[in-house]
Structure formats: C-alpha cells, structure tokens
Amino acid sequence: MTHATATSGNVYPVPAAPRTRFELLQVFRGLAAVVVVVFHLAVLIYQKAGGPLAGPAIPGQSGVDFFFVLSGFIIYYAHKNDFGKPDRLRRFGWRRFIRIYPLYLIVTLLVLPLYIFGFGNAGKLSGDVIAKSFLLLPQAPRVYPIVNVGWTLSHEALFYGLFALAIWLRPRIIVPIFGVLLLGTVVGLFFNIPGPYWISNWLLSPYNLEFAAGCVAAQITAKRFAWMLPVGIVLLIAVWIYATVTGIKLGDSVAERMIVLFGVPYWLIVTGSASLESYRRVNTPRLLTAIGDATYSIYLSHFVVLAALVPLLSRKHFPLAANAIFSVSIATGLGYLLYRNVEKPLLNKMR
C-alpha cells in the first residue's frame, strides 16, 4: 500500500496535479489497523481469558473491508494508465511483490517455529497449510495460514493477479472476463455457488466487490466528491450501531452480508478523502500518520503479540480494561518498531 506523511500548516489549495500521497487516507488506514487489533484482542480475551466478547468489537472485523477498498483505490490510481501495456507488467509485478511478500515471509518464518515447539494450533503444521501459507493460496474452510491474518493476502494476491491480466491483455479481452467475475460475485452473495471452496470463497469472494469499489473511487477522485467523506462517516457509525445491536456473531451467515454493509461507507470515506485531497492539502496528526505508515507491520505482527500477552496478563490478574489498553499499546508499538527497523529499510533497499 502507498505510504503518506503528514504536512504542516492549515488546509490550503494546491495544484490539481495527480497526487502520490493522501494524508487523510493514511490516517484512516492507521485507524483501521488499530480497530483490527482491538477486534482480535476481544476475540482472544473471549477465547483464552474467559472474559466477555465485547459487542462493539465485533464489527471491528470490518477493518479488513477498509483495507480491501483502499487497496483497490491505490492499485488502480497508480496503474490505471498501464492497462493493455504488457511492457509495464514486469514493473507492476515487482512493485506488488516487494510491497507485501518479503515482510510476510519474514513474519511467517518467525511464527512457524512457535507451532513446531507446541504453541498454538498443531494442525497448522500440515504440509497443505504450510504450502498454501507460503504461496498465498486460500486455505480450507475455517483453516487459517501460519500468520492468521495472512488469509487476507490470498485475496490481495488474487486482485494483483487480475490486475496483471488487465495490463497484459487488451481491454476488449479483459473487460468481459472481469464482467463475468463480478457477476458471479454478486450472484454468490445471494445463492450458494456449487463447486470447490476456492471458487465461492476466493475467486468469487464478496471482497472482489470492495476491490472493484476502490477502483471506482480512484476513477472519480478528481470529480470533487469530498461531501462523501462526512456521509461515509455517519453511515459507518450507523452500520456499526446496527451490527452491535443486532448481535451479529462470528461465523454467522449474516457476517458475509456485512462485507456489503461496511464496504459502502468505507467506499464513501475513501472516495471523499481522496477527492478532498485532490485539490486541498490537509494537515494530519503525526501520530496517526505514523501508525498509518506502519499499518502493514502492525497488521502482520499484532496477533501473535496479543496471543502471548492476553493469557499472561490474565494469569497475573490484570483488570480487563488494563489488559486491553496495555495489549493494544504493546502490539501497536512493536508493529511500529518492525516497520521502522525491518519493513521500511527492506522496501528502500529492494526498490
């Protein structure tokens, strides 16, 4: 994902040239990462410490929906002029590879020994799970890769592959392919599609719609749709309240529909934020921008940190609130250190 840095001063007009940095999106990206950390904290407290699974934390799983919309926006915005130009495919592939895979590989190699030495789910030591984890392929139902959150990267890899096809093939060939894919995705929202798991839950996953929505956002950014930002925030709050009040639980079939419910406000937020910054530069808090910079490192590393901290603090009889605040702070802080000392230097060198 593209990084952004904070700027100083008040909001002021800037030239209408295409932007490469979106400070507001970087802030929302960091907030989405923290929301995911809080969600996984709630799940672990429920599973390992016997505490309540906080209702407001349940919609926190939708943080990944924001990432999918944002990813579609970033890739389309950066590469929309590459369609039908095969000579640009190599550059696209290298940029996408170094952005997600090297750090993911490092974290996976660090986490794998924990399972070998008896920590966590021993089922992850099967050859099938390990191979799919390294290849970013979708796992079987209710099976997670070595790095739990890596399941989202299999969807990310699919999106990169489809975008690579759009660069390699001519538009008249790729447009019908994408049309059929999106049509199948929409049908899958309402009907069970027969066939292997990887078809209905990966190739035709509802997350495809969020990637596509991000692409649309990038296409219309220059149209001055800044009004979408406050509308999206209000709608997000309303959906969050709805999801909490109705008691949607993990694993419910309704949860799949949540992809659409949360995808719409996230699309509005992404479109409105980018549109605003297409003609105005906005001052953003340095702390939130820094968290946004470190989002990927926080996202990959936070679960294993929380999985170690939650049971430990529970055995030490930490109050639930103190456990939550301390665990989220440590997981976020260590993720930031991983970004500064590993991810950022690695990206700079490979570029």
Side-chain angles (χ1 to χ4, degrees):
M1 299 178 181
T2 302
H3 292 301
T5 56
T7 57
S8 58
N10 298 321
V11 177
Y12 56 92
V14 294
R19 296 181 60 84
T20 58
R21 298 180 179 182
F22 292 90
E23 285 82 2
L24 275 178
L25 287 180
Q26 197 69 355
V27 167
F28 286 126
R29 182 173 176 244
L31 291 175
V34 174
V35 164
V36 171
V37 174
V38 172
F39 166 67
H40 284 141
L41 172 70
V43 172
L44 287 169
I45 288 177
Y46 171 74
Q47 292 177 343
K48 297 186 177 183
L53 184 56
I58 296 301
Q61 62 188 304
S62 73
V64 298
D65 298 298
F66 176 82
F67 292 142
F68 286 141
V69 175
L70 182 61
S71 182
F73 171 87
I74 289 171
I75 302 304
Y76 187 90
Y77 189 87
H79 297 282
K80 60 185 176 182
N81 295 324
D82 296 342
F83 289 153
K85 300 176 181 177
D87 58 306
R88 300 187 181 183
L89 181 58
R90 188 173 182 177
R91 176 173 175 268
F92 168 80
W94 178 247
R95 289 180 64 180
R96 292 302 97 207
F97 172 81
I98 66 173
R99 186 63 195 92
I100 69 168
Y101 196 76
L103 183 65
Y104 170 76
L105 178 62
I106 291 172
V107 175
T108 300
L109 291 174
L110 290 175
V111 172
L112 182 58
L114 297 178
Y115 293 100
I116 295 176
F117 289 109
F119 298 97
N121 182 3
K124 289 192 177 186
L125 293 178
S126 75
D128 182 66
V129 172
I130 293 175
K132 289 179 177 178
S133 294
F134 282 107
L135 295 174
L136 296 181
L137 294 175
Q139 302 283 349
R142 293 179 293 280
V143 175
Y144 291 95
I146 300 299
V147 178
N148 282 35
V149 297
W151 68 268
T152 62
L153 297 184
S154 67
H155 294 280
E156 194 85 15
L158 173 63
F159 177 61
Y160 290 171
L162 293 174
F163 215 93
L165 283 177
I167 295 174
W168 183 40
L169 300 175
R170 295 181 180 181
R172 70 169 182 266
I173 299 176
I174 198 64
V175 169
I177 295 175
F178 283 4
V180 171
L181 186 67
L182 288 177
L183 178 61
T185 299
V186 173
V187 171
L189 284 175
F190 304 99
F191 304 98
N192 291 324
I193 298 178
Y197 169 82
W198 62 268
I199 292 181
S200 59
N201 288 276
W202 185 62
L203 187 62
L204 299 180
S205 167
Y207 292 122
N208 293 342
L209 299 177
E210 293 178 335
F211 282 121
C215 294
V216 173
Q219 179 65 29
I220 66 175
T221 287
K223 304 298 183 181
R224 297 207 173 191
F225 288 132
W227 57 268
M228 288 185 174
L229 175 57
V231 172
I233 293 175
V234 172
L235 183 58
L236 177 63
I237 294 172
V239 172
W240 194 289
I241 293 173
Y242 166 78
T244 302
V245 172
T246 55
I248 294 177
K249 298 293 190 301
L250 293 174
D252 285 355
S253 59
V254 182
E256 292 298 317
R257 310 305 187 265
M258 296 297 292
I259 294 173
V260 177
L261 289 176
F262 278 100
V264 172
Y266 285 142
W267 174 72
L268 290 170
I269 289 172
V270 168
T271 306
S273 299
S275 182
L276 175 62
E277 290 194 89
S278 67
Y279 59 90
R280 290 185 182 275
R281 184 166 294 146
V282 181
N283 183 34
T284 54
R286 289 185 178 274
L287 175 61
L288 294 180
T289 304
I291 295 175
D293 290 341
T295 292
Y296 189 51
S297 289
I298 294 171
Y299 184 70
L300 287 182
S301 64
H302 78 273
F303 193 86
V304 67
V305 175
L306 293 178
L309 281 177
V310 169
L312 176 63
L313 297 180
S314 298
R315 287 196 297 268
K316 298 296 183 180
H317 304 293
F318 266 56
L320 186 60
N323 188 333
I325 294 173
F326 182 78
S327 297
V328 170
S329 300
I330 293 297
T332 304
L334 290 177
Y336 182 77
L337 291 177
L338 179 65
Y339 162 72
R340 287 297 301 270
N341 295 287
V342 179
E343 180 188 355
K344 187 177 180 180
L346 186 63
L347 275 174
N348 289 337
K349 185 175 183 179
M350 297 188 76
R351 283 170 178 162

